[in-house]
């Protein structure tokens, strides 16, 4: 079975709105007493501010600069569920007015963020096979760290190592996260085909077997 990483395609698309700030729904736990990493975690409904860069459409995935939530339209959620793909919503994403990017809330399809920590985690990374070096997890906050320099060299080598993980097939997830990050979503080809079938917008796919230098799939 082929797997892909999936996310918004805002870097390659003009006229896409972006979330500038999350005002409510993002908890900041402060620095961990052991590793010192500052942990933040979304929960429930989010109130957000959109950036003021000019936008032309309400897409089906929206970039979130404040915290990389997987923000998907109601169209996306409905299309996946109609295709038998399991979706676990974390909560609504509500936009604070005024909207200053040229779009109108009257035309918004409605949005949710998907819970990659509690609802979609179904995989476990093979860090060595994927090119990560000296991976460790904090015993208190569970934050993952690695040797950034050596990992970067291995992940960008030629040819690069693939992104490898084990997936719990009993979970029933075609759209899922791993212990890499609750914000790094992966999917099966069923999700790609659903996006094509329903002509969903602003979504990028990268084949996991191609690793760090994976080509972006245009659908």
């Amino acid at each position: 079975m082929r797997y892909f990483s999936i996310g918004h395609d805002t870097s390659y698309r003009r006229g896409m709105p972006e979330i500038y700030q999350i005002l409510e729904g993002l908890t900041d736990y402060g620095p961990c007493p052991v590793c010192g990493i500052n942990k933040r975690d979304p929960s429930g409904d989010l109130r957000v501010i959109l950036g003021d860069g000019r936008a032309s459409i309400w897409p089906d995935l929206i970039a979130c600069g404040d915290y990389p939530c997987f923000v998907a339209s109601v169209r996306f959620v409905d299309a996946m569920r109609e295709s038998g793909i399991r979706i676990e919503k974390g909560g609504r994403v509500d936009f604070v007015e005024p909207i200053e990017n040229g779009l109108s809330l009257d035309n918004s399809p409605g949005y949710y963020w998907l819970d990659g920590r509690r609802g979609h985690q179904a995989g476990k990374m093979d860090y060595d096979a994927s090119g990560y070096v000296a991976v460790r997890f904090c015993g208190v906050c569970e934050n993952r760290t690695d040797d950034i320099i050596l990992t970067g060299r291995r992940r960008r080598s030629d040819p690069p190592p693939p992104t490898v993980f084990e997936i719990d097939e009993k979970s029933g997830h075609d759209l899922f996260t791993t212990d890499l990050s609750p914000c790094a979503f992966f999917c099966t080809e069923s999700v790609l085909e659903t996006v094509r079938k329903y002509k969903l917008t602003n979504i990028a796919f990268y084949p996991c077997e191609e690793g760090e230098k994976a080509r972006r799939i245009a659908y």
Side-chain angles (χ1 to χ4, degrees):
M1 180 181 294
R2 294 188 74 196
Y3 294 103
F4 307 85
S5 64
I6 175 176
H8 65 81
D9 201 25
T10 302
S11 298
Y12 294 90
R13 304 281 183 181
R14 291 184 178 181
M16 295 297 113
E18 298 184 51
I19 294 172
Y20 171 71
Q21 184 179 7
I22 299 175
L23 294 180
E24 295 179 10
L26 186 63
T27 302
D28 190 329
Y29 294 95
C32 172
V34 173
C35 70
I37 298 297
N38 196 71
K39 182 178 179 181
R40 300 193 299 166
D41 196 22
S43 62
D45 297 336
L46 306 181
R47 292 184 70 245
V48 306
I49 296 175
L50 287 173
D52 58 8
R54 298 298 293 178
S56 57
I57 68 168
W58 289 103
D60 292 301
L61 290 190
I62 293 185
C64 185
D66 194 7
Y67 180 91
C69 291
F70 192 100
V71 179
S73 70
V74 171
R75 290 186 301 244
F76 180 97
V77 171
D78 289 347
M80 294 299 147
R81 288 181 169 172
E82 287 172 14
S83 297
I85 294 170
R86 182 177 170 186
I87 292 288
E88 298 292 341
K89 297 180 292 187
R92 291 193 321 274
V93 177
D94 297 323
F95 302 107
V96 174
E97 295 188 271
I99 305 297
E100 299 181 346
N101 62 6
L103 297 178
S104 170
L105 283 181
D106 293 337
N107 300 323
S108 169
Y111 290 87
Y112 295 99
W113 67 276
L114 304 189
D115 195 336
R117 187 182 303 279
R118 292 166 286 267
H120 278 270
Q121 186 167 338
K124 186 174 179 60
M125 290 289 297
D126 184 332
Y127 287 102
D128 185 58
S130 300
Y132 290 83
V133 179
V135 174
R136 292 176 179 162
F137 288 87
C138 176
V140 173
C141 71
E142 299 182 343
N143 179 70
R144 176 189 57 81
T145 57
D146 57 71
D147 187 314
I148 295 176
I149 294 176
L150 293 180
T151 293
R153 288 175 182 170
R154 284 191 63 190
R155 293 278 292 162
R156 292 190 293 271
S157 61
D158 192 16
T163 299
V164 182
F165 44 75
E166 294 182 0
I167 176 73
D168 179 8
E169 295 183 358
K170 294 180 180 179
S171 70
H173 280 299
D174 286 281
L175 179 65
F176 58 91
T177 61
T178 69
D179 56 347
L180 177 68
S181 168
C183 300
F185 275 74
F186 300 94
C187 68
T188 66
E189 204 148 9
S190 296
V191 174
L192 174 56
E193 292 307 317
T194 298
V195 166
R196 284 174 170 158
K197 176 182 177 181
Y198 288 87
K199 299 180 180 179
L200 303 179
T201 57
N202 200 40
I203 304 173
F205 297 89
Y206 296 86
C208 288
E209 69 266 22
E210 297 179 12
E212 191 73 10
K213 297 181 180 180
R215 73 191 191 284
R216 169 175 153 269
I217 294 178
Y219 62 90

